[in-house]
Structures are given as structure tokens and as C-alpha cells.
Amino acid sequence: MSNSFLMRYSACALLIASLLLSVIPQHAAAQALKEPHHAAIDRERIDINANWRFSRFTTNPDSLSYSVLKDWILPSGNLFINGTKHNRPSGTPPGNNVQYVKADFNDSTWEALNVPHDWAVKGPFNAPGISGGMGRLPSNGIGWYRKTVTLAKPDLEKTIFLDIDGAMSYSAVWLNGNLVGGWPYGYNSFRLDLTPYAKEGTNQLAIRLENALDSSRWYPGAGIYRNVWLVKVNPVHVRQYGTYVTTPQISAQSATVNLAVEVENTGSASQQVNVRTKVHLADSATGKPTGVIVAKFPSKSTSIAKGATQSISTSVTIDNPRLWGPPPTQKPNLYVAVTTVTVGNSTVDTYETRFGIRTLTYDANKGLLVNGEHIRVQGTCNHHDLGSLGTAFNIRALERQFQILEEMGTNALRTSHNIPAPEFLELADRFGFLVYDEMFDCWKTQKVANDYHLLFDDWSEPDLRSFIRRDRNHPSVMAWGIGNEIPEQNSASGGTIGKYLRDIVVSEDLTRPVTAGMDSAKATSAFANVLDIEGLNYQGEGRGTSTDSAFPSFHSAQPNKMIWSSESSSVLSTRGTYIFPVTSANSAIVGAASGGNDSASQVSAYELYAPSWGASPDKVFEGQDRHDYVAGEFVWTGFDYIGEPTPYDKSRSSYFGIVDLAGFKKDRFYLYQARWRADFPMAHILPHWNWPDRVGQVTPVHVFSSADEAELFVNGKSAGRKKVAEYAYRFRWDDVKYEAGELHVVTYKNGKEWATDTKKTVGAAAKLNITADRTNIAGDGNDLSFITVAVVDGNGDIVPQANNNVTFSITGPGKIVSTDNGNPSDFTVFPSPSRQAFSGLVLSIVRANAGASGNIVVSVTSPGLPSTSVTLHAS
Ligand code: GAL
């Protein structure tokens, strides 16, 4: 194809796209203008994240609690209850007289902020009553959020919803002094109908949240930590999560796409409704419709009685479908179905559903096939916090995590152990990650005193149904997780409750299997019998030093079911910290004389030391390779997270991550990259080579590489050329004696030179190197630049043990949001602009102000070193 043809083709496509775009109503954006002389905007979805007032109370200021409010909150789940629904009690709801819900309450002394907001992340650490497991940050207490929302007269003819993507936890919402409803599970998204309480002019919204001590095994965060939306629709509209796309037949030539659209009529009369849907190619960068239409569903008309909802099902064939699949061998192609609902000649609603076309085969012997291709599951588990930003959702922070995981060769994610932000799945769709979308960490039996077991009886059905309906159109979702290490897994109730939950899932989505992570259930248990995929936590590779594997028993007891390691490894390490002596085993249990430094609360980064239930990555790889029917693994964890600082409970954050809390790669990153991107030439030497106290002492040198042979040179002298042994995943020279100078490795694959790496003894700290991951950022109050400062010697090489104190400052329209260094035992509060470097590095996260344009200069100083700066450009 000639260039000129390409240019003409793309210009023509652009023209067609823009023509089509101009006639196809789009989702109204936040800034959509109302133009009375034009066709009415049929659906508005406005983010109301800005300008909230907030106050946190550690003693109850209002005498309210979930148990007091419960009868009024329960009906909020009614749409997701198939059996008997809850009736709202008559009479005045509790709390309507609490001062904070009233319009005339003076909240001017409360903190002014925008959401997403995590009230706990700013610290201080060591909050009273908060365990190390929960991250020692003040997530407990009662938080009130208030905001005014202005509605115009025409809005009152609409149905007005409040959509909260996630608020931690036990939300209760008032509008104009009236209790509207709420939702207790802090990880779920929910919608409340504000219409009955809305009025023209200023409307007072007030939201009460409450977090108990001992509510979680990890840092839960606190507050309205995800996006909040006001949705205005006409009385006839597509219901919440009201479309469901399935693709029952797929071949290279064609794909059948089925679409069910649920249209609700909240008006006062029956309506004759027409539903039409066009399928667009989605823009690969934004996921938005391109205007290039590839199919049109047949239009359908029906009459919908007042107060009723009808599901309208249609089907269409897409020729030569562009399949969705994980890179690098496949592409995550997406489509958008744009549904238009009309009554008479008026368009009353336009609704977009992004979807993908792919086949997933879960094979007990071959593992996972995507579009017929075997894809080994190379997954990571992750918690929802975004390091020093806490749990306050930020799309760029998550995208950065995804980019780092993608570079490592990750193709799958487990949302351990809870519902992710909606944008998580949108990003996963675009990256082509396969998602194990998980719901619960416990059922009726508690793991900690105030966890979900308190809600299970009332909320498991609405929570599960709304979760599945929210997420089921995402092609990235490949499995539904109904539980992690559920205490009931070994009892009869593991089977009965498991069946109850599986039945709910299957009634909402028949296209994906149900799974759970089992750390102790037996292969023949009632619990294992209920699942479609057998998920083994740690049992497959053998725990600690044991090589007993549960894979064979599950494979023979459940011969038709795919097996994967729903959780693997849990190896521990601190970036850049090496502790001697080094075990000669391929995996060891961490302890004071085994990879751990109890006084410094650090674990050796030789990546060999795990808690008693875990194993090194190497041992996990061996377990997987010896049982080749296993579909793959989800490593615990991709990123370090706040809380659960095993094995040093006194620390603030975990040691499990392949990448540290600041987003800096530990050595382990390269061990996974070597296996997961076997075709990518890479070699990585550890440890660093600055050991003045170890001259003449054994200092093992390990190399992580995708090669099959490697030769190490110590100051130019060969320490031996080695072939990779069967069931070994690293090259090790365990008898190298330290001498200052240079380590150099040359690796080979199939006899040809493949990749090299060098580690040098460096000089004293001489300078600071400052780099931004992105120097051009949007001035929208959300976009972030991640700025890394490295302490380097005169040659520009990182000083690996540098811990210089570094201070950031900023000029221009931006803010230093937080700093971090990945050290799990650093208790400097996250917003602090000053922080010690750790293993040579420190991070600062900078945000441009909303409406900012122009230069933002981030400067950094450190005693005894020249200052330096980086310039960002906001637009
Ligand atoms: C698992 C558990 C995870 C995490 C991990 C730490 O047993 O499922 O949530 O606690 O241990 O190793």
C-alpha cells in the first residue's frame, strides 16, 4: 500500500468519522451546554467531584449508625434482589434532623476538597487502634461530606440519579434533609434516585460514612475515594447497567453479537418506545466510538407501561470481526454499541456500551485459550491503593501501574479481594489484560471483627448482582471470583454458600466461569465441587520448603476443570537491600538469620525468602512447569501496598510487591520479565556492587535473564559460563568474593549473544538526577507527573545505599501531592515534601491544578548536593 493511498484513506476515514460523529448524539460530557432551541440533551452524566466540604469525627457526632439507618438503606439494593424486596419504612427517617444534613448548617470551617478523596492517607501513621495490617493510618471514624448541587427547572422533569463509584464505607446519603438511601460495602458502586427529593435551585447533598476499627486485613482507605456523578435522564431511559452484550458465535469470518437493552419508564404514562443500536469501532486510545459503523442491530419497538422496565433483545452479525485479545500476540480491539431510544420523533436516551469479541476456553489439560491461542496466565494480584496517593482513585496512577506490569510481561490481573474502580476495567480492556474480577474476602465467617461477614446475609445478593451487571460487558473480565481463602472452604457450608453465590453469578452471566482462591480446601470438597475453575493459593507449588503439590489431586478429582494458582509466591523483599549469607536453596522461609533484618525491618532482595505459606518465584515456576496443565498464576503481589507488612508488623506497608510502593522496580521485576517475556533480550545482575565491608567475603551474584546461558566476569575475569539448569530460573554464582570494581554478565540464547548487564562500584553521592515520567500533563486537576530523583555519583551512576534527605518544592500552577521511597518502614507522612532517599531513589507525585496552563518547575534540594529541577508543562 503506497503512502499516498494510506494518507487518502485515513483522510477519508476521518471525514466519514467526523460526519458521522456530528449526527450521532454522544454521551454528554461534564461541561455539556444546555441549548433550549436545539434537541434536548437526552442523557447527562456530570462529574460532581469538585467543591466538597468534609469533616472527620473520631467520636460519634450524630448518634447515627448503620444499624439505626439500616431499614432505610436496605431498599437501595432492591434492583439487585430477585426475591422479596425491601420496603422503605414509613415516617421520618433517622438523621433527617441531624444538623449536617441541613442546608443551613454552616460548614465553612470544614475542609474544602475535591473527591476522589482518602481521608486517611495524609496520616499521621500510628493512628490509635489501627493495626499494622490496616496500615496504621487513621481510616476509622465517621466522615461527613457536603456539597451543593444546582438544578434548573427543566431538570425537574428528568430522573436524577447520584452514582457513587465507591465510598468507604457504610454510605448514607441525604438530599435537602431527606435520607435517600445508601450502600454499606465500600468497594461497590451504587446509584441512588434523587428525583423525589430534588428541587429547583440549590440542593444540599450530605453523605455520612463510617469505618470501624478492624474492618479489613489490608489498608481499606476511607472516604469518597472514587468518582461521583450526577446522571440526568428522561423518564424513558436505559436502566442502570442496562445493556448486556454477548458474542455466542465467533469465527474469523463473522461474529454474532447479542444485545439486551433494559428500558425503564419512570414517567406517568405508558410509552411506545423504539430502540436502535449501531456498532462503532472504538478508538484504541480513548475507547470512544470512532464513528466508523460496522453493524446495525435491527430496530425494535415496544410499549412500556408507566413504572415498568422492558428488556429488548436483538442480534447482529459483524463480518470479519476484529478480535479482542492480550498482547503481544493479539490486540485488544474494542467496539462500542451506541443505543438510541426514541419516543415518537424524539431521542430520549443515548447509551454507549463498550465491548469486545473474543473466545475464552478454559481447558483442564491445556489451560487458557484466548481466540484459540494458548495464553499462559502471567498474572498479578493487587490491592486497590495507589501507594502514597492512598485509595483516592486516579486514572493516571493506575495507568502507570499497568504500564509497569505490561513491561514485565503481565497479561492478567486479579482484583484481590474486592470490586475494582470501574475505570480499572476500562483500562484493562484497553491494555488487553485478562481480569479475574473478585468480590469477597469473606462470607459469613469473619477474618477480622468488622469485615463483610456483618453484611453477608443482607447484602451478598445485591452486592454480587450489581457487581456482575456493572462489569459483565468488559471483554477483559475472564472469571468471577466469589471468595478468597474463605473460612467456610472446608465445611459443608462452603458448598451450600458457594452454590448460592454461583447460582447468582450464573443467573447474571453465563459466559464466564466462577472461581475462588483456596488455601486449604481439599480437591474433593463441596467447595471445590462448586467452582468452575479450581483456584489454588500456594498449595500448588508447595508451601515453604515443602514440595508437596496439590495440583495432581485437584487435576484428578476435578478432571474437567481448569486449575490455576489464584495466588502464588508471596515472596518478600525490600528494594535494594541485600542480607548475607544467602541461602543456597531455591526458596527459604524468612527469619532473623534467613534473609531478614529484624531491627531494620527489611527483607533481602535476593528474592528467595517467603513466609511459611509462600515460596520464591523460582519454586513457583518449577511447580507450574512440572504440572503443565496448570493455566498459570497470579503472583502475590504486583505492587507493594499499604498495610499487611508481613513479616514486620511494625512497618507501614507490604514487602510482597514485585514493585515497591513508590513504583520502583525491585530485582524481582526482572525475574518475572525473564520468564514472561522470554523473547525479550534482557539480563539483570544483583546485588549492587558497593560492599566496602565485605572485601574478600562471599557475596553471591545472581542474574535474571531470558537467556539460556550466561558468563559472569568479575573485574574482567570469568567466574564461569553456566547453562540454565532444568527447573532453575536464575543464574547463580554463589561463591563470588567481593572486590570493588565491576561485574559484567554476557548472556546467550541458542548459542548467540543475547543481552548483557553491568554493575559497578560507584563513588560518593555527588548529584541529584531528576526525571519526570511525563513532562506534558493535562491541567485538569487530575493528571499526574511521577518525578524520580536518583542520588548519583560523579559519573551519574546511582549510589545504591544513598539515603540523603531530599526536599521538593514547586513553582507554577501545580502541587506536590505526595512523596515516597518504597521503604516499608519509613513513617514520614506521604504528603511531606521532604523525605529520605531509599536505596538511592525518591519519588514525588505532582498534579497540575484544574485549569492550569504553562510551566510548573519542580525543584529538589539536598544538603551538600547541588540543587536541580525539572520543568513540566501543563495544558
Ligand atoms: C494470602 C491472602 C492474601 C494475603 C497473602 C499474603 O493467604 O489470600 O490476601 O494476605 O496471603 O501472603
Side-chain angles (χ1 to χ4, degrees):
M1 210 184 282
S2 74
N3 275 343
S4 63
F5 176 84
L6 261 181
M7 279 174 61
R8 267 186 287 127
Y9 172 78
S10 43
C12 172
L14 271 178
L15 180 65
I16 295 171
S18 56
L19 283 175
L20 286 166
L21 278 170
S22 64
V23 295
I24 293 170
Q26 301 296 299
H27 263 169
Q31 66 277 22
L33 295 174
K34 291 202 135 196
E35 293 175 313
H37 299 300
H38 293 79
I41 294 166
D42 48 77
R43 170 177 288 259
E44 284 181 277
R45 186 167 181 257
I46 305 161
D47 90 59
I48 52 164
N49 291 334
N51 302 325
W52 291 78
R53 290 280 175 172
F54 165 74
S55 187
R56 170 182 178 239
F57 304 85
T58 46
T59 50
N60 192 333
D62 51 36
S63 305
L64 300 175
S65 66
Y66 176 64
S67 54
V68 168
L69 299 168
K70 179 174 158 177
D71 291 346
W72 279 264
I73 303 279
L74 285 171
S76 303
N78 277 348
L79 181 58
F80 307 100
I81 295 175
N82 278 8
T84 315
K85 308 211 190 264
H86 299 285
N87 289 319
R88 186 179 164 99
S90 55
T92 307
N96 282 13
N97 286 322
V98 167
Q99 53 180 338
Y100 310 132
V101 310
K102 295 185 179 168
D104 60 6
F105 174 72
N106 180 359
D107 58 18
S108 60
T109 58
W110 287 15
E111 190 179 346
L113 49 79
N114 297 341
V115 301
H117 169 239
D118 175 351
W119 83 55
V121 73
K122 68 172 192 246
F125 286 103
N126 294 318
I130 301 282
S131 61
M134 281 178 66
R136 305 197 177 282
L137 289 167
S139 54
N140 63 308
I142 291 158
W144 276 96
Y145 289 81
R146 285 167 52 91
K147 177 181 172 63
T148 55
V149 175
T150 306
L151 296 173
K153 196 160 189 200
D155 290 330
L156 301 184
E157 285 157 33
K158 303 240 170 182
T159 298
I160 301 169
F161 296 117
L162 176 70
D163 282 4
I164 297 187
D165 288 349
M168 190 64 69
S169 58
Y170 287 96
S171 303
V173 177
W174 283 259
L175 186 71
N176 299 325
N178 297 293
L179 178 59
V180 184
W183 202 285
Y185 191 31
Y187 293 106
N188 217 343
S189 304
F190 63 97
R191 162 171 286 186
L192 298 175
D193 186 358
L194 301 181
T195 321
Y197 314 102
K199 60 178 180 133
E200 188 183 344
T202 305
N203 288 255
Q204 181 66 54
L205 201 54
I207 302 181
R208 181 189 193 272
L209 304 179
E210 180 159 7
N211 293 327
L213 298 170
D214 296 321
S215 62
S216 178
R217 296 189 302 113
W218 56 86
Y219 175 62
I224 303 178
Y225 71 104
R226 292 183 186 155
N227 291 311
V228 182
W229 309 88
L230 204 63
V231 178
K232 301 179 196 170
V233 291
N234 288 307
V236 172
H237 58 265
V238 176
R239 196 158 80 168
Q240 184 190 15
Y241 314 139
T243 56
Y244 181 33
V245 177
T246 52
T247 51
Q249 270 134 30
I250 301 171
S251 71
Q253 292 72 39
S254 74
T256 308
V257 182
N258 292 344
L259 171 71
V261 183
E262 286 188 310
V263 182
E264 180 174 31
N265 176 7
T266 54
S268 51
S270 150
Q271 297 286 359
Q272 186 66 23
V273 172
N274 177 269
V275 176
R276 283 174 296 133
T277 302
K278 295 177 182 172
V279 180
H280 297 235
L281 292 181
D283 183 285
S284 59
T286 63
K288 287 276 160 204
T290 54
V292 179
I293 291 164
V294 296
K296 291 180 186 173
F297 286 89
S299 108
K300 281 210 169 176
S301 293
T302 186
S303 163
I304 307 181
K306 66 173 181 178
T309 298
Q310 271 203 32
S311 180
I312 294 137
S313 295
T314 53
S315 187
V316 80
T317 300
I318 295 183
D319 294 332
N320 306 315
R322 301 183 184 193
L323 302 184
W324 182 97
T329 50
Q330 301 188 32
K331 275 195 178 163
N333 294 304
L334 292 168
Y335 294 93
V336 189
V338 180
T339 300
T340 311
V341 182
T342 50
V343 172
N345 289 328
S346 315
T347 297
V348 293
D349 200 4
T350 307
Y351 190 90
E352 290 179 6
T353 310
R354 206 171 303 132
F355 68 98
I357 300 174
R358 84 284 185 268
T359 62
L360 293 171
T361 314
Y362 309 85
D363 191 293
N365 297 307
K366 295 187 204 142
L368 182 72
L369 311 184
V370 184
N371 300 318
E373 182 194 3
H374 174 242
I375 300 286
R376 182 170 63 196
V377 176
Q378 302 177 161
T380 62
C381 301
N382 288 292
H383 275 315
H384 69 309
D385 74 62
L386 296 164
S388 59
L389 300 173
T391 58
F393 183 77
N394 182 285
I395 189 90
R396 171 57 202 153
L398 187 68
E399 182 187 51
R400 171 180 179 249
Q401 289 198 339
F402 280 17
Q403 287 167 338
I404 293 169
L405 293 171
E406 184 181 52
E407 186 191 340
M408 184 166 71
T410 304
N411 60 18
L413 303 165
R414 177 182 179 205
T415 68
S416 46
H417 305 294
N418 46 257
I419 304 169
E423 294 85 353
F424 180 104
L425 294 170
E426 288 170 16
L427 265 191
D429 287 348
R430 297 213 314 259
F431 273 74
F433 287 137
L434 296 152
V435 177
Y436 166 177
D437 205 1
E438 188 164 44
M439 176 77 203
F440 299 122
D441 191 47
C442 73
W443 295 348
K444 285 173 183 256
T445 306
Q446 71 175 61
K447 288 186 176 172
V448 290
N450 294 309
D451 62 17
Y452 193 84
H453 80 283
L454 300 173
L455 293 170
F456 191 89
D457 286 343
D458 287 330
W459 285 93
S460 53
E461 180 185 1
D463 268 326
L464 190 49
R465 285 193 195 282
S466 70
F467 159 65
I468 307 258
R469 279 186 220 167
R470 192 196 75 169
D471 291 354
R472 65 189 175 182
N473 291 323
H474 290 280
S476 54
V477 175
M478 65 162 158
W480 301 115
I482 57 168
N484 172 61
E485 299 188 350
I486 293 299
E488 291 92 341
Q489 67 189 291
N490 283 308
S491 63
S493 60
T496 46
I497 302 172
K499 180 173 180 322
Y500 150 79
L501 294 172
R502 184 177 180 280
D503 287 349
I504 291 174
V505 175
V506 167
S507 71
E508 298 291 341
D509 179 39
L510 259 179
T511 72
R512 297 166 180 95
V514 172
T515 192
M518 295 175 279
D519 61 327
S520 63
K522 298 284 168 290
T524 51
S525 60
F527 188 86
N529 288 341
V530 162
L531 304 176
D532 304 310
I533 297 176
E534 301 297 336
L536 301 190
N537 285 11
Y538 310 99
Q539 300 190 74
E541 57 264 24
R543 298 166 181 288
T545 50
S546 156
T547 49
D548 282 354
S549 172
F551 290 141
S553 61
F554 273 86
H555 193 46
S556 65
Q558 309 281 350
N560 300 318
K561 294 185 186 172
M562 191 174 91
I563 300 174
W564 62 29
S565 288
S566 33
E567 219 172 291
S568 61
S569 185
S570 269
V571 84
L572 303 158
S573 60
T574 314
R575 177 179 56 80
T577 301
Y578 306 92
I579 296 170
F580 302 95
V582 176
T583 177
S584 57
N586 76 345
S587 188
I589 296 174
V590 70
S594 174
N597 178 338
D598 288 5
S599 55
S601 299
Q602 305 300 0
V603 184
S604 176
Y606 274 91
E607 314 293 12
L608 290 165
Y609 301 95
S612 57
W613 59 90
S616 69
D618 312 56
K619 189 171 164 227
V620 176
F621 296 160
E622 178 178 357
Q624 300 262 316
D625 287 347
R626 284 188 188 275
H627 306 97
D628 61 0
Y629 48 85
V630 175
E633 62 171 318
F634 293 87
V635 178
W636 192 266
T637 48
F639 282 78
D640 272 331
Y641 50 95
I642 307 173
E644 211 180 32
T646 306
Y648 301 115
D649 190 57
K650 55 186 192 240
S651 292
R652 62 165 204 198
S653 52
S654 79
Y655 298 78
F656 293 114
I658 299 170
V659 181
D660 76 15
L661 197 74
F664 299 138
K665 296 163 186 161
K666 300 182 187 173
D667 292 294
R668 210 185 316 158
F669 176 93
Y670 300 97
L671 185 51
Y672 286 102
Q673 190 182 56
R675 176 171 169 90
W676 289 355
R677 294 180 67 188
D679 296 334
F680 177 63
M682 51 76 60
H684 175 83
I685 296 177
L686 67 149
H688 65 73
W689 213 233
N690 266 51
W691 302 104
D693 299 340
R694 298 190 61 77
V695 174
Q697 292 184 54
V698 169
T699 306
V701 176
H702 292 189
V703 169
F704 302 152
S705 173
S706 47
D708 54 26
E709 232 182 314
E711 183 166 18
L712 178 73
F713 297 89
V714 181
N715 288 336
K717 197 166 151 255
S718 176
R721 179 163 167 164
K722 300 188 183 234
K723 278 197 184 346
V724 77
E726 196 182 16
Y727 300 123
Y729 303 88
R730 64 174 75 193
F731 298 95
R732 358 183 4 159
W733 290 265
D734 278 337
D735 48 7
V736 175
K737 295 208 171 108
Y738 178 75
E739 57 188 68
E742 183 182 279
L743 298 174
H744 182 66
V745 72
V746 182
T747 66
Y748 302 86
K749 196 154 186 165
N750 300 323
K752 291 211 183 97
E753 193 174 314
W754 181 249
T756 63
D757 192 27
T758 304
K759 280 257 150 77
K760 282 190 273 188
T761 307
V762 303
K767 301 187 280 197
L768 301 169
N769 251 3
I770 186 165
T771 46
D773 70 334
R774 284 155 71 245
T775 47
N776 288 311
I777 57 173
D780 61 1
N782 291 317
D783 201 6
L784 301 172
S785 184
F786 289 80
I787 294 171
T788 300
V789 169
V791 181
V792 298
D793 72 359
N795 295 323
D797 292 318
I798 294 184
V799 180
Q801 284 150 320
N803 58 0
N804 305 51
N805 203 53
V806 165
T807 299
F808 292 89
S809 60
I810 196 164
T811 56
K815 185 173 182 266
I816 294 166
V817 187
S818 64
T819 59
D820 193 13
N821 55 20
N823 177 0
S825 66
D826 183 340
F827 283 95
T828 310
V829 293
F830 288 127
S832 169
S834 293
R835 183 172 299 276
Q836 272 188 295
F838 181 69
S839 294
L841 298 178
V842 58
L843 175 84
S844 160
I845 305 178
V846 169
R847 181 169 56 212
N849 298 338
S853 70
N855 288 347
I856 300 170
V857 180
V858 182
S859 304
V860 59
T861 58
S862 182
L865 300 177
S867 308
T868 183
S869 66
V870 63
T871 301
L872 312 177
H873 189 76
S875 58

